[in-house]
Amino acid sequence: MPEQKSLIKIVSQNKKQLIFLCFLVLVVYANALNNEFVSDDKSILITDFNNTSEIFSQPALFLRALPYFIINLFFGKNPFFFRFLNIGWHILAVSSIYLIVNLLRNKEEALAVSTLYAVHPVVVESIAWISGGGYAQYSAFFLLSFLFYILSRENKKYYYFSLAAFLMSLLSAEKSFVLSAMFLVYQLSFENIRREWKKLVPYLVLGSVWGLYYFNKLGERADLLQDEFYSQVSTKGIPLKYALEHIATALTKYLELLFWPQHLTLYQSEVYATPLLLVISFMVSIGLALVLIYGFFKNKYVFLGLSLFLISLSPFLTPFGISWWVAERYAYLGTFGIIFLVVLFFSYLGKKYVKFKNIIIALFMIATVLLSIRTVIRNNDWQNEDNLWIATAKKSPSDPKTHNNLGDYYGRHGDQEKAAQEFLKAIELNPFYGDAYHNLANTYQTMGKIDLAIENYKKAVESKPSLWQSYQNLAIIYFNQQDFETAGQYQEKAVEINPNNASLHLNLGVIYQQNNQQEKANLEFQKAVELDPSIKDLFQK
């Protein structure tokens, strides 16, 4: 009877390679550890992770908030530890990839795949950006689950470990539900599916449950993106032609970023659907389909790698406004699939043309060094807000969000004229961009151009009715002009949108008081104290 494979024994046999990979990851991401909170990371600063209810605010995804709660408990809101968590997820993913490829193929290919994956700059966004860490987290748990699933062929106890790890992946991100299909792909490729089909049922059931949860949130997600960033694409009645164009161009862009990671940016906006690009994109997509069919019938490893690339990206390959058109973090897991295919190809060449083996090894070493350097450089883009928005502006000049954030950069550095120019550029690119109108109004207010500030605050709420900050600022302007009635109307709007904000109730009370509406003022003061008892000290003083 053949000896059953033990994970502990496999790790022990490959400890030198795993230590090397861990060291490699730490080296290429060392310059990211002291980066600041940037962009969406700042939500960590205002989220109360001391409150356990925050962890279970979304029970189906509680495992995403739990690590944040633990870090905050022991280290506070220090970006070093939050970012180190992302690096930990990456180390787990890289180690799992090495062991998976080692089990499926051999040590040499496993080391090549995991090394290239460890240093590839496309995955930087999921590691150097704290908010992107969810993609590394759910991918790491899935890869661990997949590793256990492979081991379960010879040792049944790993099957239950696999299920547990897959559940952890689902609890980290609802979009991981599509990865249940990868177990089916593995069964089709390496096992007798008719005999072993029962093994798939728990994965497919879990995937279906989280899939229903995901689809239930699609409308909310689409509304959020359209409300905040005003997609110009309607989410209803999208023609099949447009959907196919979207998928084809997105797939082509991902491959471009993987093979030539030069134009890395938070906003991948610089793609124009020219006739030539569409022809190339459709040719690439047809080529991928043909390779997938070839792999299904002729090469199970090709089928496995390409399936992982396509399946992992599938939640994002939609034209329905539920995700960005292309984002590097979306390709975190799929990058493994493409690197696996590349290594398979060069391994085949090395075996068939032995005299070129040393050249292939040299190319691998050069690629590793160049990718590592690109990763280190890309880490610097995430160092702080200034670096991020300047780097983004260079690569994404046609994205309105770029100019909105660049306007914020100039504003923070005291150049209000340039800030206004950037906000105006953002509005020119997207006339329905409420946040840009709001920021432009703030700039005009700072510059003392009150009439222009009022005009743009009003445009902001026309474009984005949920923007309570604009209503509040309008109230402040009219309050300072002694127009308490108009100030009250705008402050009431702000309270209506954000009723749990104690400061808004307090300010509304002050306006009512100035407008000789003492009874209403007292009610607002009382509400403010209920929401924030510390406000009571203000009255005592």
Side-chain angles (χ1 to χ4, degrees), residues 147-218:
L147 171 63
F148 285 139
Y149 193 84
I150 295 171
L151 289 170
S152 72
R153 294 176 68 184
E154 298 182 18
N155 192 332
K156 299 299 183 184
K157 70 177 182 180
Y158 288 114
Y159 176 74
Y160 302 102
F161 292 157
S162 175
L163 279 174
F166 183 58
L167 181 59
M168 293 170 77
S169 179
L170 292 168
L171 290 169
S172 300
E174 73 276 11
K175 59 187 71 69
S176 62
F177 81 93
V178 298
L179 299 175
S180 59
M182 283 305 302
F183 299 97
L184 174 61
V185 168
Y186 178 81
Q187 286 288 139
L188 288 170
S189 302
F190 296 95
E191 295 190 25
N192 188 322
I193 193 169
R194 291 183 180 179
R195 187 173 65 246
E196 302 286 346
W197 65 270
K198 291 182 180 179
K199 291 175 61 176
L200 292 172
V201 173
Y203 296 94
L204 298 178
V205 169
L206 286 171
S208 298
V209 171
W210 260 262
L212 289 173
Y213 175 73
Y214 177 77
F215 285 114
N216 187 53
K217 292 184 66 178
L218 288 188

Side-chain angles (χ1 to χ4, degrees), residues 181-182 185 188-189 251 284-312 337-338 341:
M182 283 305 302
V185 168
L188 288 170
S189 302
L251 284 173
V284 168
S285 299
I286 292 170
L288 289 174
L290 292 175
V291 172
L292 189 68
I293 294 169
Y294 163 80
F296 180 77
F297 290 104
K298 297 292 185 178
N299 191 317
K300 56 190 177 184
Y301 300 107
V302 170
F303 181 61
L304 182 70
L306 189 52
S307 293
L308 179 61
F309 174 68
L310 297 173
I311 289 172
S312 63
I338 296 300
L341 294 179

Side-chain angles (χ1 to χ4, degrees), residues 22 110 139 149 155 175 179 196 209 244 268 277 295 306 329 335 384 446 452:
C22 179
S139 298
Y149 193 84
N155 192 332
K175 59 187 71 69
L179 299 175
E196 302 286 346
V209 171
L244 292 175
Q268 289 289 342
L277 175 62
L306 189 52
R329 59 192 178 276
T335 298
N384 51 51
T446 301
L452 287 175

Side-chain angles (χ1 to χ4, degrees), residues 9-229:
K9 185 175 181 179
I10 294 171
V11 169
S12 178
Q13 291 171 343
N14 294 274
K15 61 183 178 182
K16 290 182 180 179
Q17 291 88 341
L18 293 171
I19 291 172
F20 163 75
L21 291 168
C22 179
F23 176 75
L24 184 61
V25 171
L26 291 174
V27 167
V28 297
Y29 285 100
N31 68 321
L33 281 169
N34 290 317
N35 289 358
E36 300 173 5
F37 289 115
V38 296
S39 189
D40 293 352
D41 294 349
K42 292 183 177 180
S43 63
I44 294 172
L45 296 172
I46 61 175
T47 302
D48 182 13
F49 287 112
N50 291 318
N51 187 349
T52 53
S53 64
E54 183 68 32
I55 302 174
F56 296 101
S57 59
Q58 295 187 72
L61 303 172
F62 86 94
L63 206 54
R64 179 62 185 142
L66 181 60
Y68 283 2
F69 172 81
I70 295 171
I71 289 174
N72 188 66
L73 183 66
F74 288 99
F75 306 108
K77 291 176 179 178
N78 186 329
F80 176 93
F81 295 100
F82 286 93
R83 194 164 283 105
F84 193 80
L85 173 67
N86 287 1
I87 293 175
W89 297 130
H90 192 49
I91 289 173
L92 177 58
V94 169
S95 300
S96 298
I97 285 171
Y98 173 83
L99 296 173
I100 288 169
V101 180
N102 188 18
L103 288 170
L104 293 177
R105 300 286 294 179
N106 53 64
K107 283 187 177 183
E108 291 75 17
E109 291 179 9
L111 187 60
V113 173
S114 52
T115 296
L116 291 173
Y117 185 80
V119 303
H120 202 292
V122 161
V123 305
V124 167
E125 190 171 284
S126 300
I127 303 163
W129 187 25
I130 295 170
S131 299
Y135 295 86
Q137 179 178 339
Y138 82 75
S139 298
F141 282 132
F142 164 74
L143 290 166
L144 188 63
S145 173
F146 201 70
L147 171 63
F148 285 139
Y149 193 84
I150 295 171
L151 289 170
S152 72
R153 294 176 68 184
E154 298 182 18
N155 192 332
K156 299 299 183 184
K157 70 177 182 180
Y158 288 114
Y159 176 74
Y160 302 102
F161 292 157
S162 175
L163 279 174
F166 183 58
L167 181 59
M168 293 170 77
S169 179
L170 292 168
L171 290 169
S172 300
E174 73 276 11
K175 59 187 71 69
S176 62
F177 81 93
V178 298
L179 299 175
S180 59
M182 283 305 302
F183 299 97
L184 174 61
V185 168
Y186 178 81
Q187 286 288 139
L188 288 170
S189 302
F190 296 95
E191 295 190 25
N192 188 322
I193 193 169
R194 291 183 180 179
R195 187 173 65 246
E196 302 286 346
W197 65 270
K198 291 182 180 179
K199 291 175 61 176
L200 292 172
V201 173
Y203 296 94
L204 298 178
V205 169
L206 286 171
S208 298
V209 171
W210 260 262
L212 289 173
Y213 175 73
Y214 177 77
F215 285 114
N216 187 53
K217 292 184 66 178
L218 288 188
E220 175 187 333
R221 174 64 176 163
D223 290 342
L224 176 65
L225 280 180
Q226 289 193 9
D227 185 41
E228 290 190 358
F229 301 109

Side-chain angles (χ1 to χ4, degrees), residues 403-430:
H403 294 280
N404 183 56
N405 291 319
L406 205 54
D408 177 67
Y409 162 77
Y410 286 123
R412 283 186 286 105
H413 287 270
D415 194 337
Q416 303 303 328
E417 289 290 347
K418 279 194 173 182
Q421 290 173 14
E422 292 300 330
F423 294 133
L424 285 168
K425 181 64 176 178
I427 292 167
E428 179 186 337
L429 291 168
N430 185 352

Side-chain angles (χ1 to χ4, degrees), residues 108-109 112 116 342-368:
E108 291 75 17
E109 291 179 9
L116 291 173
V342 170
V343 170
L344 285 178
F345 175 72
F346 280 101
S347 178
Y348 167 77
L349 290 181
K351 291 174 183 177
K352 186 170 183 179
Y353 305 102
V354 179
K355 61 181 179 180
F356 294 123
K357 187 172 183 180
N358 289 336
I359 296 177
I360 292 172
I361 293 173
L363 289 173
F364 164 75
M365 295 176 68
I366 292 171
T368 301

